[in-house]
Amino acid sequence: MNLSELTNGQEGVIVKVKGHGAFRKRIIEMGFIRGKKVTVVKNAPLKDPIEYKIMDYKVSLRRSEARLIEVISRREAEEMDARTYNGTITDDLLARKATEKRKTINVALVGNPNCGKTTIFNQASGANEHVGNYSGVTIDIKTGHFHHKGYTLKVSDLPGTYSLSAYSPEEVFVREHISQETPDIIINVVDASNLERNLYLTSQLIDMDVRTVVALNMFDDLQRKGDKLDYQQLGTLLGIPFVPTVGSRGTGIEELFAKVVDVYEDKIEEARRIKINYGENIEKAIDAIEKKAVNFPEITSKISSRFLAIKLLEKDKVFREQIDSEDFSPVIKETEKQIVKLEELFQEDTETVITDARYGFIAGAMKETYKENPQTRRRKTDIIDSVLTHKLFGFPFFFFFIWLMFQATFRLGEYPMGWIEEGVAVLSQWASAILPAGPFTDLIVDGIIGGVGGVIVFLPNILILFFFISFMEDTGYMARAAFIMDKVMHKIGLHGKSFIPLIMGFGCNVPAIMATRTIEDRNNRLLTMLINPFMSCSARLPVYILLIGAFFPDHPGTVLFLLYGTGIALAVIVARIFKRFLFKKSDTPFVMELPPYRLPTLKSTTRHMWFKGSQYLKKMGGVIMVASVIIWFLGYYPRQNAQTEAIEKQKQELVQKYTELKKHTDGEVVDKIETEQQEKLEHLDHLQEKLRHEGSYIGRLGKSIEPAIEPLGFDWKMGVSLLSGVAAKEIVVSTMAVLYQTDDAEASGNAQLIAQIRNDKYPDGTPVFTTLSAISFLVFILIYFPCVAVIAAIRKESASWKWALFTIFYTTGLAYFLSLIIYQVGQMF
């Protein structure tokens, strides 16, 4: 608990002092150090400030300052020691419990995108977060914990950011996490092969006056290039210990966290406070603003007054909004005065002046500690880029790779897909054989095994798709794809940075929409969200594979490629329309890092692939199984209606008629009569099952919407499948598997379902599914209502229901319109 939570007369022992820099130093100098007992004397009439007794003297603190001192009360000690508590909590026991609690260290991982933060996080915590070789993989905070030499380290992996300015949501998020959550130690992960750019963020952490350890990651890349870095000297210059690491191999991770513990315990000499000297004139301006700011501890208790002054000079809009009131007018007036003075002196914007000074400091530190290999040689990355990002060869390579991905998804997936189909068929046969006939057996065989089995057969295809996407991300090619597509994206009013979330949409639209946070411009961010559902996610893949396998078996990879291409083309057209009529055009500069190519380890790529596959399997046991059971129930009941009873009567009359015939016939004629009887009974059985389905609850629902979807070439079964697909697109296939059930226990496999779809006919004998209606259905699946999870993601990321509801209506309306045109125009030919 925090010191501010203690009430009058209560006492506790100090566990740790949070906060940073001058505030923390002042509090410690006043005697608020770990292990000391502190007692609340009284609160002021307005509950602020609060008077405390510590080391036999009294001192008052503001409530905002007391919140940054963590203590353990007697009550907390009792709860921690509940098993051995004997009714008395002595001061020694209280102090011992404070020491135990203090051994929990809150650590935040901060660094540029693509510097290896998440790799280190995974190595340390054993978590399974995806690591990608491009900007924007970590789009939210991830937390994990592990034990190290008697300490519990709670590690938070923050979004990648190039600075602590206010240009993107990531920058503000990271800055606010550091100031509001006040982690004990910051691990600043830097890319050793690109030090100058990475140290810009480090310099801002120095200004924030936070306790920091630098993980000099990818140190092997620096050594491989033949460069030399005296990282110990660099750490001494910056007042921050440096630890070389190779996150992908786990090298240096133990040493890194050992250093974190030492800094936390104040055992490291090089971990000291320094000030970056920005030059005489800027320093005078910073000092003048600081003198005004220190009179407002409600601001400076959680953030360094120096960092605040620098950010105000840089015209940081978030900080300015936080102090933009009459209460802080002295700080605002002083800031405006100093900005005018500096801009007149330098004839330059103050933000540029400070940025130049910061890079000057970095250049000076690098000059003393870093030596580049004098041997000039063309880097491997440059050689590969000369082909893959070439203005002529870049596009053919990109489209070939995408086409290859879809071909492999089909061709390589055929074999394991067949094995799973056989397994599902065997399981159905086994369940039918051992269970007694009745509704429960039908539920197991047709509802659960048929519904879930109809979708699980596509797991190999989805794993292959994710393997390719993961490979593109991990090697660094995904960033090149964005680079070569930048000019095309500009044509539709976006830029290359929007291409990454769109490509991610091929895996799943939900994280893809979350990845739009890396786009600084709000209009571009919203536009990217709105067109992202046109990227065919892996959930739609089972539907595509099913219908392509049924109607386009000769060229499956090419048809799938064209289907994905249609989604991309629609995204382009819709983006242009929306950019013209919904969003004001704004041309945001395209800035995207092109990381060096790295050959990913088979372990990391396979782990990502299997992680996505396991999420798919969890869907099998969750939403898809529940949906399959519900759809089975709605399709199974009522068991009889007037039409099925009439068919049943016909069957009885038929049996009676042929029984009489057989009494007066013998020999080979009896065999012919029995064969004829069997054929007619099978026809009536099929007709009875069809009428029973149409009379079921789900059949009635489908029949009610059939008039609306009939112009698209859809029957009621397709309509019901589309409705169920609102929850998750995979359920479209499981719904079909349940609706097209037969009495044959082997009919759970994908091949049998394809055969049933091909053979399904209307009462007049015309096929329900034709090549044309299949195309219309595929286009509808491609475009209409993205799943509920996607709508929720759009609502969250746009902070508005307006855009979420707009997505529902415009995608479904567009799907109806295009399918109508395809089917109606197609029938003319």
Side-chain angles (χ1 to χ4, degrees):
M1 67 189 305
N2 296 326
L3 183 58
S4 62
E5 296 175 56
L6 295 178
T7 57
N8 289 350
Q10 278 193 314
E11 59 184 33
V13 170
I14 296 172
V15 175
K16 65 176 76 166
V17 177
K18 296 187 280 188
H20 312 295
F23 162 78
R24 188 170 182 274
K25 185 172 181 291
R26 179 174 66 86
I27 291 293
I28 291 172
E29 286 172 349
M30 291 168 68
F32 288 86
I33 56 177
R34 64 177 181 267
K36 293 295 180 183
K37 186 169 74 172
V38 59
T39 307
V40 182
V41 178
K42 63 184 176 185
N43 282 255
L46 297 177
K47 303 294 183 183
D48 206 5
I50 306 169
E51 187 177 324
Y52 297 99
K53 183 180 179 182
I54 185 168
M55 295 194 295
D56 294 325
Y57 79 98
K58 295 177 181 177
V59 63
S60 67
L61 293 178
R62 288 181 179 269
R63 188 169 290 274
S64 60
E65 296 174 321
R67 284 195 194 101
L68 295 173
I69 300 173
E70 189 176 331
V71 299
I72 182 170
S73 65
R74 290 186 180 276
R75 183 175 176 180
E76 276 189 303
E78 290 171 15
E79 291 171 354
M80 288 175 66
D81 209 44
R83 284 176 293 183
T84 57
Y85 175 56
N86 59 8
T88 305
I89 292 290
T90 63
D91 288 348
D92 286 344
L93 180 60
L94 195 60
R96 193 168 72 249
K97 292 300 173 186
T99 302
E100 288 176 16
K101 191 173 181 183
R102 191 182 174 279
K103 291 204 168 186
T104 297
I105 308 175
N106 296 311
V107 180
L109 288 169
V110 176
N112 287 190
N114 195 47
C115 68
K117 282 185 304 83
T118 306
T119 308
I120 290 176
F121 176 77
N122 287 344
Q123 290 282 359
S125 65
N128 194 26
E129 293 302 331
H130 175 221
V131 181
N133 189 15
Y134 69 95
S135 166
V137 174
T138 306
I139 48 180
D140 212 338
I141 186 170
K142 277 88 178 178
T143 56
H145 67 275
F146 70 104
H147 302 286
H148 181 83
K149 295 184 178 178
Y151 290 82
T152 299
L153 289 93
K154 291 184 177 178
V155 186
S156 299
D157 179 20
L158 302 184
T161 177
Y162 292 105
S163 75
L164 297 176
S165 302
Y167 292 119
S168 71
E170 285 77 20
E171 292 174 345
V172 176
F173 181 89
V174 171
R175 192 170 72 188
E176 289 189 351
H177 180 89
I178 294 171
S179 60
Q180 301 300 321
E181 300 299 324
T182 57
D184 299 309
I185 303 291
I186 303 293
I187 294 180
N188 177 207
V189 184
V190 304
D191 180 353
S193 62
N194 202 344
L195 266 177
E196 189 168 1
R197 189 205 63 203
N198 279 246
L199 288 176
Y200 187 85
L201 177 60
T202 310
S203 70
Q204 291 183 313
L205 292 171
I206 292 171
D207 288 333
M208 285 193 84
D209 211 353
V210 293
R211 292 196 286 176
T212 305
V213 175
V214 169
L216 198 60
N217 202 30
M218 306 177 196
F219 194 68
D220 54 337
D221 282 357
L222 181 140
Q223 292 176 317
R224 215 169 13 246
K225 288 194 298 181
D227 298 344
K228 292 184 180 178
L229 175 69
D230 187 347
Y231 60 85
Q232 292 178 329
Q233 174 67 9
L234 182 60
T236 302
L237 290 173
L238 301 185
I240 300 172
F242 278 63
V243 180
T245 61
V246 183
S248 59
R249 296 205 295 262
T251 306
I253 305 299
E254 281 283 323
E255 294 82 354
L256 174 65
F257 286 98
K259 192 74 73 174
V260 166
V261 171
D262 288 344
V263 171
Y264 178 72
E265 295 291 1
D266 297 319
K267 294 179 180 177
I268 302 293
E269 289 185 9
E270 68 257 41
R272 70 191 199 284
R273 291 180 64 202
I274 72 160
K275 283 186 179 181
I276 296 173
N277 192 322
Y278 290 103
E280 183 181 356
N281 297 298
I282 299 175
E283 287 296 328
K284 283 181 180 177
I286 293 171
D287 188 53
I289 298 171
E290 270 196 277
K291 285 177 180 175
K292 300 291 183 183
V294 291
N295 297 318
F296 301 96
E298 57 268 47
I299 307 174
T300 57
S301 60
K302 287 192 174 183
I303 196 160
S304 157
S305 57
R306 179 176 175 82
F307 184 69
L308 173 66
I310 292 168
K311 284 289 133 193
L312 290 175
L313 283 174
E314 290 180 328
K315 303 175 185 175
D316 187 288
K317 60 183 180 183
V318 174
F319 274 116
R320 184 57 188 262
E321 286 170 5
Q322 288 175 353
I323 67 166
D324 197 11
S325 70
E326 288 294 323
D327 296 340
F328 308 115
S329 58
V331 180
I332 295 170
K333 288 177 182 175
E334 188 62 42
T335 299
E336 290 172 348
K337 175 183 169 183
Q338 295 300 330
I339 287 174
V340 170
K341 191 184 292 186
L342 287 175
E343 289 185 346
E344 286 179 356
L345 179 65
F346 289 98
Q347 293 295 302
E348 191 77 78
D349 183 85
T350 48
E351 184 179 9
T352 305
V353 171
I354 293 174
T355 300
D356 288 346
R358 198 185 297 278
Y359 272 117
F361 169 79
I362 294 168
M366 293 279 288
K367 192 169 185 179
E368 292 190 39
T369 57
Y370 177 72
K371 288 184 180 179
E372 193 172 3
N373 184 1
Q375 181 182 2
T376 58
R377 55 193 173 93
R378 197 176 182 194
R379 293 176 60 195
K380 175 182 67 176
T381 291
D382 297 332
I383 297 170
I384 299 172
D385 271 344
S386 67
V387 178
L388 294 185
T389 61
H390 191 273
K391 62 181 180 180
L392 293 179
F393 305 138
F395 282 103
F397 269 106
F398 172 69
F399 288 120
F400 171 75
F401 193 85
I402 298 295
W403 176 83
L404 180 66
M405 178 172 71
F406 295 136
Q407 283 290 104
T409 298
F410 253 107
R411 298 301 183 192
L412 296 181
E414 280 180 0
Y415 304 103
M417 192 174 172
W419 304 331
I420 295 173
E421 278 183 14
E422 290 173 9
V424 170
V426 168
L427 183 60
S428 294
Q429 288 177 355
W430 176 78
S432 297
I434 66 164
L435 295 172
F440 178 73
T441 300
D442 291 341
L443 168 64
I444 297 297
V445 175
D446 298 323
I448 296 176
I449 298 177
V452 175
V455 181
I456 203 170
V457 295
F458 300 105
L459 178 63
N461 306 90
I462 286 167
L463 288 175
I464 293 167
L465 179 70
F466 275 116
F467 179 86
F468 273 88
I469 291 176
S470 177
F471 183 79
M472 288 171 71
E473 293 171 353
D474 295 346
T475 56
Y477 182 68
M478 189 73 91
R480 269 71 186 181
F483 176 77
I484 65 174
M485 289 298 291
D486 180 48
K487 194 168 184 179
V488 176
M489 299 301 284
H490 269 294
K491 296 288 185 184
I492 64 173
L494 293 171
H495 57 70
K497 217 167 189 180
S498 296
F499 189 69
I500 294 293
L502 294 178
I503 284 288
M504 286 179 70
F506 288 147
C508 180
N509 294 136
V510 175
I513 285 166
M514 294 172 70
T516 59
R517 294 180 192 177
T518 59
I519 303 168
E520 291 85 354
D521 183 76
R522 175 170 169 77
N523 283 350
N524 283 342
R525 193 158 63 246
L526 281 172
L527 183 52
T528 307
M529 282 184 218
L530 293 179
I531 65 173
N532 201 282
F534 292 122
M535 302 299 110
S536 292
C537 65
S538 59
R540 294 183 178 101
L541 192 58
V543 192
Y544 296 163
I545 292 172
L546 178 70
L547 293 179
I548 290 172
F551 297 99
F552 309 98
D554 296 332
H555 307 285
T558 304
V559 174
L560 187 64
F561 177 74
L562 290 173
L563 202 54
Y564 276 70
T566 302
I568 295 169
L570 283 171
V572 171
I573 295 166
V574 171
R576 292 211 59 162
I577 294 170
F578 284 177
K579 196 70 178 178
R580 182 168 182 179
F581 296 106
L582 280 183
F583 301 105
K584 185 180 177 182
K585 188 172 182 179
S586 56
D587 191 18
T588 307
F590 172 54
V591 180
M592 174 166 281
E593 176 191 4
L594 293 179
Y597 287 102
R598 294 190 178 93
L599 188 64
T601 62
L602 184 61
K603 178 184 174 183
S604 67
T605 304
T606 307
R607 184 171 65 177
H608 176 225
M609 176 190 73
W610 180 247
F611 177 63
K612 292 296 182 183
S614 66
Q615 288 183 320
Y616 186 73
L617 287 173
K618 285 174 186 174
K619 269 190 179 182
M620 300 299 106
V623 63
I624 291 174
M625 181 180 287
V626 172
S628 296
V629 170
I630 292 170
I631 291 161
W632 172 87
F633 178 85
L634 293 175
Y636 195 77
Y637 293 103
R639 295 301 295 161
Q640 298 294 336
N641 56 53
Q643 290 176 306
T644 58
E645 287 174 357
I647 297 291
E648 187 64 36
K649 191 175 180 181
Q650 286 182 44
K651 285 163 64 177
Q652 291 172 1
E653 290 172 353
L654 184 70
V655 171
Q656 189 175 357
K657 173 185 171 184
Y658 278 95
T659 303
E660 288 296 324
L661 274 174
K662 283 187 281 187
K663 284 181 181 177
H664 302 93
T665 313
D666 53 272
E668 293 183 4
V669 179
V670 172
D671 293 337
K672 288 181 181 180
I673 289 172
E674 286 181 348
T675 303
E676 186 180 320
Q677 176 189 346
Q678 187 63 32
E679 287 174 356
K680 289 186 178 182
L681 281 175
E682 285 178 0
H683 174 73
L684 288 174
D685 284 340
H686 180 75
L687 181 59
Q688 185 182 35
E689 187 65 18
K690 186 179 181 67
L691 292 171
R692 190 194 66 74
H693 261 309
E694 291 178 3
S696 67
Y697 297 125
I698 205 165
R700 294 171 193 174
L701 175 63
K703 287 289 183 181
S704 68
I705 64 171
E706 193 171 36
I709 60 175
E710 193 175 1
L712 313 181
F714 304 164
D715 76 333
W716 67 271
K717 293 191 191 75
M718 294 188 227
V720 170
S721 301
L722 291 172
L723 286 177
S724 65
V726 166
K729 291 295 175 285
E730 303 100 322
I731 299 177
V732 172
V733 173
S734 65
T735 302
M736 286 186 163
V738 174
L739 291 179
Y740 281 98
Q741 59 186 280
T742 68
D743 294 331
D744 183 2
E746 294 183 5
S748 301
N750 189 44
Q752 287 81 6
L753 181 55
I754 286 175
Q756 289 171 303
I757 288 172
R758 283 174 177 164
N759 297 329
D760 194 20
K761 289 180 172 56
Y762 288 109
D764 63 2
T766 58
V768 172
F769 266 105
T770 63
T771 302
L772 184 60
S773 64
I775 294 171
S776 175
F777 191 69
L778 284 169
V779 169
F780 199 94
I781 290 288
L782 167 69
I783 304 169
Y784 92 113
F785 192 128
C787 70
V788 172
V790 172
I791 296 300
I794 293 174
R795 156 69 184 86
K796 182 182 177 184
E797 297 304 316
S798 66
S800 170
W801 272 111
K802 177 180 75 173
W803 295 113
L805 294 173
F806 176 73
T807 303
I808 292 172
F809 289 112
Y810 105 79
T811 54
T812 307
L814 181 62
Y816 190 94
F817 176 71
L818 290 180
S819 291
L820 180 68
I821 290 176
I822 288 168
Y823 189 71
Q824 294 299 327
V825 173
Q827 279 190 313
M828 296 177 185
F829 300 97

